[in-house]
């Protein structure tokens, strides 16, 4: 799935002051390729991720996934499109604390009404090395295990696009490396278009292309 971003802008107010988080950025990610968006804290990376995921609304500009403009969608239509086409991996994991690892991974399949969701979730957890931890809840798992559950959840529906926002940011170096090895392997196996948000230049180099975002603009 091709991602096509055209003159994207996002601004908001803090009191009387208008903040321009994104100042008209444009880029494309060809189908089945990986792109890293690199930049320091406050550069607009997470804002961009929220817009691409349809979790926030654009001030101006356009976002297309295979010529489908998500910036024009109403909430219900957008929720359905996202559930079917986009997987999201957050830095903070965002697992449901009252659900087991198996239930967390099965959740997007259940929302889509897919059959055999528990079996598919079990298979995905085994792929990420957590076949023995399916009954554990997030508080019983390490940070690296939680992120692997999050990756399994994002991948279990076989999305066309995977958005990853600083996926190793809360992990120590060794664990982060293992988690990213897993993420890139799943992307290769499933033929997914990957957009990776990171401040880590070395990690960005693992993607096929990189763009740099500074002060809400591409450099």
């Amino acid at each position: 799935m091709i991602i096509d971003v055209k003159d994207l802008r996002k601004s908001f107010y803090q009191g009387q002051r208008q903040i321009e988080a994104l100042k008209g950025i444009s880029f494309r990610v060809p189908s089945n390729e990986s792109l890293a968006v690199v930049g320091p804290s406050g550069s607009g990376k997470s804002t961009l991720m929220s817009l691409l995921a349809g979790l926030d609304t654009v001030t101006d500009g356009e976002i297309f996934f295979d010529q489908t403009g998500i910036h024009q969608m109403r909430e219900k239509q957008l929720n359905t499109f996202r559930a079917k086409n986009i997987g999201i991996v957050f830095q903070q994991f965002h697992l449901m604390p009252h659900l087991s690892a198996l239930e967390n991974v099965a959740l997007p399949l259940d929302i889509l009404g897919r059959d055999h969701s528990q079996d598919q979730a079990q298979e995905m957890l085994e792929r990420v090395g957590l076949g023995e931890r399916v009954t554990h809840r997030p508080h019983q798992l390490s940070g690296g295990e939680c992120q692997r559950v999050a990756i399994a959840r994002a991948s279990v529906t076989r999305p066309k696009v995977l958005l990853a926002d600083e996926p190793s940011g809360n992990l120590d170096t060794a664990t982060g490396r293992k988690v990213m090895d897993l993420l890139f392997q799943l992307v290769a196996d499933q033929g997914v278009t990957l957009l990776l948000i990171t401040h880590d230049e070395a990690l960005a180099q693992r993607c096929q292309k990189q763009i740099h975002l500074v002060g809400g603009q591409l450099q």
Side-chain angles (χ1 to χ4, degrees), residues 118-129:
Q118 298 267 315
D119 292 339
Q120 292 180 62
Q122 173 78 42
E123 180 182 350
M124 184 58 69
L125 282 168
E126 289 174 357
R127 285 193 66 186
V128 301

Side-chain angles (χ1 to χ4, degrees), residues 27-202:
F27 62 88
R28 299 179 83 242
V29 190
S31 187
N32 302 332
E33 288 195 4
S34 56
L35 173 75
V37 181
V38 188
S41 296
S43 60
K45 302 190 306 299
S46 293
T47 298
L48 173 61
M49 174 65 76
S50 294
L51 296 176
L52 291 173
L55 302 175
D56 197 2
T57 56
V58 306
T59 300
D60 201 3
E62 301 170 317
I63 302 171
F64 293 94
F65 289 85
D66 273 353
Q67 301 181 348
T68 299
I70 69 166
H71 57 283
Q72 300 171 325
M73 291 182 179
R74 296 186 180 275
E75 184 175 357
K76 185 176 180 180
Q77 182 187 13
L78 178 57
N79 288 341
T80 300
F81 181 87
R82 180 172 52 237
K84 290 181 177 180
N85 295 285
I86 303 173
I88 309 172
V89 181
F90 299 97
Q91 179 178 352
Q92 304 290 345
F93 318 139
H94 290 304
L95 300 177
M96 302 296 288
H98 61 287
L99 299 181
S100 68
L102 184 70
E103 292 165 336
N104 265 286
V105 176
L107 185 59
L109 295 169
D110 292 334
I111 291 172
L112 289 171
R114 302 269 181 91
D115 294 330
H116 311 296
S117 62
Q118 298 267 315
D119 292 339
Q120 292 180 62
Q122 173 78 42
E123 180 182 350
M124 184 58 69
L125 282 168
E126 289 174 357
R127 285 193 66 186
V128 301
L130 293 176
E132 303 300 319
R133 307 283 274 169
V134 295
T135 62
H136 289 66
R137 295 185 180 182
H139 75 275
Q140 298 171 307
L141 301 171
S142 68
E145 289 172 333
C146 283
Q147 194 59 292
R148 282 190 276 164
V149 173
I151 290 171
R153 180 185 59 186
S155 304
V156 72
T157 59
R158 300 190 70 85
K160 296 178 181 178
V161 170
L162 189 62
L163 305 176
D165 186 6
E166 300 280 10
S168 60
N170 277 343
L171 308 176
D172 64 77
T173 302
T175 302
R177 187 179 301 113
K178 291 178 182 178
V179 166
M180 293 312 302
D181 287 345
L182 171 65
L183 178 65
F184 279 104
Q185 186 60 58
L186 283 173
V187 165
D189 290 347
Q190 295 187 346
V192 178
T193 303
L194 171 66
L195 192 144
L196 172 67
I197 300 288
T198 184
H199 66 277
D200 186 337
E201 292 278 358

